[in-house]
């Protein structure tokens, strides 16, 4: 359940902009406001069942985008590579003290958080 | 004209997977095979005008994806950051000879080309 929630949250981060405004609102209420289906339904002026369907259809749509573009997969691989470089830089820092190494570290951390 | 061509090629690299098979085929013939509109039309069994329209509609669709997801913009920024780190590493290499610096350089170049 938590895994599904985290997955949907990640999918929404990467592809949410491709959904309609109403779909985005629905998922924001579900993911970030922790609203119940009844509360979401009331806010969007739709039935509880329609709110449930919308969340599930959006999940399928977002998974379809990921299956085609692989942005989440690519991002994970990039993060792994950057972390590996950061580890190398930190290892080097333990042997060599150089201001430029700190600059490199800072830039890597900035990239990791972007 | 060349700018338009390059832009469409970049858009297709990033978002082509979101187009239908027929649209992808059309753009591949246009971008990579350098086929004329008449040749594309014949291959897809559509009119020359329909081939022209398809290319222009695809361009608009791909631009819409970029306006929403900004993948090209983000990639450019990432490349700029990685190149900046690579320059720092190369500067450091001119002062310090260390095997790990070469490993870091290789990993950065791999990331830049991924």
């Amino acid at each position: 359940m938590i895994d599904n929630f985290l997955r949907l949250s990640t999918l929404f981060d990467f592809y949410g902009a491709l959904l309609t405004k109403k779909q985005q609102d629905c998922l924001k209420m579900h993911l970030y406001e922790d609203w119940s289906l009844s509360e979401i339904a009331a806010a969007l002026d739709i039935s509880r069942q329609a709110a449930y369907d919308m969340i599930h259809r959006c999940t399928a749509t977002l998974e379809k985008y990921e299956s085609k573009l692989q942005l989440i997969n690519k991002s994970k691989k990039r993060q792994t590579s950057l972390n590996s470089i950061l580890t190398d830089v930190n290892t080097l820092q333990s042997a060599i003290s150089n201001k430029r190494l700190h600059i490199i570290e800072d830039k890597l951390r900035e990239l990791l958080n972007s």
Side-chain angles (χ1 to χ4, degrees), chain A:
Chain A
M1 189 62 188
I2 290 173
D3 279 356
N4 287 351
F5 201 83
L6 281 176
R7 174 70 177 172
L8 181 53
S9 178
T10 307
L11 284 166
F12 188 63
D13 282 347
F14 279 81
Y15 302 105
L18 298 179
L19 299 175
T20 66
K21 172 79 170 60
K22 192 168 188 173
Q23 289 172 326
Q24 288 181 38
D25 288 345
C26 174
L27 286 193
K28 280 178 193 167
M29 293 172 205
H30 174 58
L31 290 168
Y32 309 133
E33 309 291 340
D34 195 26
W35 284 14
S36 69
L37 284 175
S38 303
E39 287 171 314
I40 295 171
L44 295 178
D45 197 20
I46 56 179
S47 69
R48 192 180 173 284
Q49 181 64 43
Y52 176 87
D53 290 345
M54 188 178 280
I55 291 169
H56 284 260
R57 263 200 310 276
C58 284
T59 306
T61 301
L62 296 172
E63 285 287 5
K64 191 191 73 190
Y65 285 128
E66 173 60 10
S67 76
K68 291 185 175 177
L69 293 185
Q70 297 281 307
L71 297 184
I72 298 173
N73 260 356
K74 287 175 189 169
S75 172
K76 278 183 189 165
K77 281 183 189 166
R78 207 162 43 234
Q79 296 292 94
T80 302
S81 300
L82 285 169
N83 271 315
S84 164
I85 297 171
L86 189 59
T87 301
D88 287 329
V89 169
N90 289 149
T91 306
L92 205 54
Q93 279 174 321
S94 66
I96 300 165
S97 176
N98 187 298
K99 196 180 162 190
R100 199 172 294 272
L101 271 178
H102 288 288
I103 295 170
I104 292 170
E105 183 187 1
D106 288 345
K107 288 182 182 174
L108 282 169
R109 289 195 190 281
E110 204 178 309
L111 254 180
L112 271 164
N113 295 324
S114 69

